[in-house]
Amino acid sequence: MFKVVVLVSGGGTNLQAIIDKVESGYIPNTEIKAVISSSRKAYALERAKQHNIAGEAVVRKDFESKEAFDKALLETLDKYSPDLVVLAGYLVIVPEIVIKKYSNKIINIHPSLIPSFCGDGFYGLKVHEAVLARGCKVTGATVHFVDEGTDTGPIIKQKAVEVLPGDTPEILQRRVMEQAEWIILPDAIKELAENSGK
Ligand code: GRF
């Protein structure tokens, strides 16, 4: 069984796409062992609960220091012995000790065609605001391995999405999620699961 832990911070629509594709068997021989959120209020935790998936919150402000938070996050991940850690709208910089322990086993979904509109400060709606401000006609999403940098790891999958006249950042974000993120993230997990030999 290919064991996956998903890290979240918000609404969890990418998590939902993964849950649906695992439950349908599209992603074979895979179990989402847990959902770990950086916020107790994340609706993604409710989605996990609705599907009987273990949900935990590891919240930075609960800890005296960054080191203590980093250690707690690593210990929480280790409890589930994941084969793959998926960042699905996770807004916290992944601690170096986690990246070292799970080297080449962490993937992230970013809502642009990397190397455009990525790196520090480019997340959520800010990405789509920048795409519209630049006048781009095409944008999209990228799944990549996570390394020590921000959005700098090897690219696994990308999917392009049209920018349409009259798009607002919110409309564009929704289209990128529907037509790209919710497709390529489960597809990347499917390929990694199938090639894992698990
Ligand atoms: C979205 O902006 C998505 O592009 C990015 O994280 C945000 C929240 O996604 N990856 P989700 O609904 O919590 O999956």
Side-chain angles (χ1 to χ4, degrees):
M1 186 66 74
F2 190 63
K3 297 180 288 185
V4 175
V5 170
V6 184
L7 272 58
V8 298
S9 294
T13 64
N14 279 284
L15 167 68
Q16 190 65 55
I18 300 165
I19 290 171
D20 294 346
K21 296 266 174 89
V22 167
E23 289 185 348
S24 70
Y26 177 80
I27 299 176
N29 192 37
T30 296
E31 182 183 355
I32 303 171
K33 298 296 287 181
V35 173
I36 300 172
S37 177
S38 62
S39 159
R40 279 186 195 77
K41 298 195 294 289
Y43 187 70
L45 287 174
E46 179 56 31
R47 293 181 192 271
K49 190 174 169 195
Q50 288 167 7
H51 291 268
N52 301 314
I53 298 169
E56 300 198 38
V58 181
V59 185
R60 170 66 184 84
K61 67 176 186 313
D62 291 350
F63 297 89
E64 288 295 305
S65 67
K66 181 181 179 318
E67 290 68 26
F69 167 80
D70 293 356
K71 185 167 174 288
L73 182 60
L74 181 56
E75 286 169 356
T76 305
L77 274 170
D78 286 347
K79 278 195 309 188
Y80 299 99
S81 309
D83 299 301
L84 182 69
V85 179
V86 179
L87 310 184
Y90 190 62
L91 295 177
V92 171
I93 302 294
V94 181
E96 201 164 321
I97 56 172
V98 171
I99 291 171
K100 284 194 180 351
K101 174 82 180 275
Y102 291 96
S103 176
N104 297 318
K105 290 184 178 180
I106 309 173
I107 65 173
N108 180 49
I109 176 79
H110 181 76
S112 76
L113 295 175
I114 289 176
S116 298
F117 307 107
C118 65
D120 293 344
F122 283 108
Y123 58 89
L125 274 181
K126 291 174 185 291
V127 173
H128 306 293
E129 287 165 0
V131 165
L132 292 171
R134 185 65 185 81
C136 297
K137 305 309 176 194
V138 173
T139 186
T142 302
V143 179
H144 64 93
F145 283 108
V146 173
D147 63 9
E148 286 71 17
T150 303
D151 303 329
T152 52
I155 290 172
I156 300 168
K157 275 190 181 297
Q158 294 189 300
K159 192 168 190 301
V161 172
E162 234 187 331
V163 180
L164 298 175
D167 271 350
T168 64
E170 292 77 7
I171 291 170
L172 185 54
Q173 178 179 54
R174 184 77 191 181
R175 188 178 309 119
V176 169
M177 293 167 103
E178 286 174 347
Q179 296 183 12
E181 295 180 41
W182 300 344
I183 294 167
I184 63 174
L185 184 55
D187 280 356
I189 297 168
K190 173 183 173 64
E191 284 178 19
L192 290 167
E194 288 170 341
N195 298 335
S196 70
K198 291 279 178 181

